[in-house]
Each structure stands twice: as C-alpha cells, then as structure tokens.
Amino acid sequence: MGVVFGVALALGYTTAAHAHGADAPVAVDYRVEVASVSVPGVVVRPVEGGARLELKNESGREVVILGLQGEEFLRVRPDGVDENRKSPTWFASRSLSASGKGGDAKAMPEWHTVSMDPVVRWHDERARELPARAWSVPLLLDRQDPGIVRGTIVAAPAPATGWWWAGAVVVAAVVAALYRWKWVLVTAAVVGGGFTVAWIVGGAWLAVSPSESLTTQLVARLWPLLTGVGVVVAGLALTARRVDIVVAVAGACLAVMVGFADSGAFRYGVLAGPSWGRWAVATALAAGLGLLVAGGVRWYRTMGDGN
C-alpha cells in the first residue's frame, strides 16, 4: 500500500514537474535561430529551448521592443529595463501559452522598472513553435529610428527515443534484480537523486535573468528538486536502517515526477536546460523504477519473514 500511495502522490504533482524557467517545457521539436539584428551593440538569442528570447543592449541607446500590435512593449535602456503594463503583449507574454488578456495598444505606456541591467527575457509567440518559417521582432531606437530582429524556426530532428527508453528500463531491471545487495540500492538512490538535483540546479542557473533570480527559478522546479533530495536522503538512510518501503516510495516519486514527467527529453530534439538533460532524465527513470521494485520486494520479504 505504501508503494501505491507513493505513486499516487507523485502523479498528483506531475504537472508541477513541467515548470522549467517559468513554464518552459523540458524539450521542444523546433529550433529558434536569430539570423540578424539591425542595431550594432544589441544581441538577441533564444533561451530555454526557444521558449523565450533574450535581448542584451550594449549599444548605448534606448531600445524599445515593439509588441504584437505595434505598441511599445519593453524598453531596454543602457542602465535598466522597463515593461509597459498597458501593453497587450505584456499580458500575453506572462506565460508560454500566451493566454493572458488585457491591456490597450493605444493607451499611453505605463512603464515599470524591472531590472537595473540592460538585459531582458520574454515569451514571444512570433518566434516560437512550428511550422518552419521566418520571424521578426520590430525595434524602436531612441524613440525615432526603426530597427528589427530577424530569425527563423526550423524543425529539430528527434533523438533516438526508443533507445533512451530501452536503456532506462534495462538499468532499472538490473537494479531490481540486485535487490538483495543493499549497496546497489544506496548507489542507485545517491546517483539518481544526485543527478536529478544537479540537472535541476543547472537548468535553473541557465534560466536566470536580471529580473528572475536563481531562487525564483528553483522555486519553479521545487517538487522535482525536493524529490531528488528526498531520494538521496532515503538511500543514505538505508545504510543505517531498514527503510525499504521509504526507498520504494522515493523511487516511485522519482520515476513519475522526473522520469515520466520529463520524458519529453526523449521525444524532442532541443533541450530547454543543460545539454546532458536526457542522461539526467534517463538516470532518474532507471533509478526510480529500480528502487520502486527493489525496495518493494525487500519490504514484502521482510513482512513475510515477520509472519
């Protein structure tokens, strides 16, 4: 029953495990490319697997990013960033789904300073998702000179999905088969949980921006982060005590909340986080499933011996 409860608990939090850098997915099937920026000293690049664009202004000029309706959306000064909270694009950019509604493109801008660094990141539906196409984002320099960012979206080849799944399942089966050796479970827990924590922290670090601290990014990944830590703790506890059911539940949570929840890394070609993200997800899946079965079997045998 403890194992079933662990799986149910993990399933209840699966949605939260998708939150990477606000709400960026773990991987996508397209690649966002920036072809040119017409303003010297302004650098634009895709971040978080193309979920957001980043503009860095080292031109010494005031650069205004124009929104979907041609309104002033973001203002990147040499000494900071302001956002126009009357902009319809500002409302739409609050989430990856662009579902926010509000604002008035014809209203006078209502500027709010969000950073003292000339760097900004934002969701922009003009430069996201298939079909393959060209895209552009207009700029306004010093309130009078036009500028533009141009780029393309191309399809990204899928990874060897079946091999990633097969590899994770085979390793999980090996861990489960060696359930008698406690050190195998301890190693699986420490490696699986530790690798998960490193991947989450690495992804959070890559998503940090002047207006979003590392703490903010880690909070967005809170449940899988706590799961990774919990698995490590459960594994270390097994060295001193017979906590087989705890190990099984921890494994279930790791497999579901990280392995299955982030299995998009096996399906799509562009990762939103570190380049070794597929290895992290595969390790979490293998360790989680292996610990679930091995811990459950050890607990069952202990209960049987007690009878």
Side-chain angles (χ1 to χ4, degrees):
M1 289 298 294
V3 176
V4 174
F5 174 75
V7 174
L9 179 64
L11 285 171
Y13 287 114
T14 297
T15 300
H18 287 285
H20 297 274
D23 55 356
V26 66
V28 293
D29 59 353
Y30 60 89
R31 188 181 307 278
V32 177
E33 299 176 345
V34 176
S36 64
V37 182
S38 67
V39 186
V42 173
V43 178
V44 179
R45 67 184 182 113
V47 294
E48 298 169 36
R52 292 196 287 180
L53 294 177
E54 176 190 271
L55 184 147
K56 184 175 184 179
N57 179 16
E58 296 181 336
S59 67
R61 308 178 69 179
E62 179 185 281
V63 177
V64 173
I65 301 167
L66 300 182
L68 300 174
Q69 299 181 40
E71 83 282 9
E72 297 184 4
F73 166 37
L74 295 168
R75 183 170 63 189
V76 188
R77 298 173 281 103
D79 58 351
V81 175
D82 308 315
E83 56 187 18
N84 174 19
R85 296 185 181 175
K86 288 293 186 180
S87 163
T89 308
W90 179 81
F91 284 91
S93 70
R94 307 319 292 169
S95 71
L96 190 61
S97 63
S99 58
K101 303 296 182 182
D104 182 355
K106 298 180 180 180
M108 288 292 294
E110 181 182 303
W111 296 111
H112 290 257
T113 299
V114 295
S115 172
M116 302 307 293
D117 294 316
V119 182
V120 66
R121 291 180 176 181
W122 75 100
H123 294 301
D124 199 313
E125 61 184 84
R126 292 169 290 196
R128 191 173 65 244
E129 299 181 353
L130 294 171
R133 65 186 187 281
W135 58 268
S136 63
V137 174
L139 307 174
L140 186 63
L141 311 175
D142 295 329
R143 296 189 172 275
Q144 57 182 356
D145 298 329
I148 195 165
V149 181
R150 298 185 186 276
T152 57
I153 295 175
V154 297
T161 303
W163 286 108
W164 286 102
W165 280 106
V169 171
V170 168
V171 174
V174 171
V175 173
L178 299 176
Y179 71 90
R180 296 177 185 272
W181 286 268
K182 183 167 63 175
W183 66 268
V184 173
L185 275 66
V186 173
T187 301
V190 172
V191 172
F195 208 4
T196 295
V197 171
W199 175 56
I200 291 170
V201 173
W205 181 257
L206 290 177
V208 166
S209 69
S211 61
E212 296 176 348
S213 66
L214 179 62
T215 299
T216 299
Q217 295 297 339
L218 289 175
V219 169
R221 301 159 167 80
L222 182 60
W223 289 113
L225 176 62
L226 292 179
T227 298
V229 173
V231 171
V232 173
V233 172
L236 295 177
L238 186 62
T239 63
R241 300 183 59 185
R242 192 77 184 242
V243 289
D244 302 321
I245 190 61
V246 175
V247 169
V249 171
C253 292
L254 184 64
V256 175
M257 294 186 65
V258 181
F260 288 112
D262 290 329
S263 61
F266 301 157
R267 298 193 302 273
Y268 304 127
V270 177
L271 297 173
S275 59
W276 41 272
R278 288 190 188 91
W279 288 103
V281 175
T283 301
L285 181 61
L289 292 176
L291 292 170
L292 168 62
V293 176
V297 171
R298 287 171 61 90
W299 173 75
Y300 178 79
R301 290 174 65 89
T302 300
M303 295 295 290
D305 293 342
N307 292 332

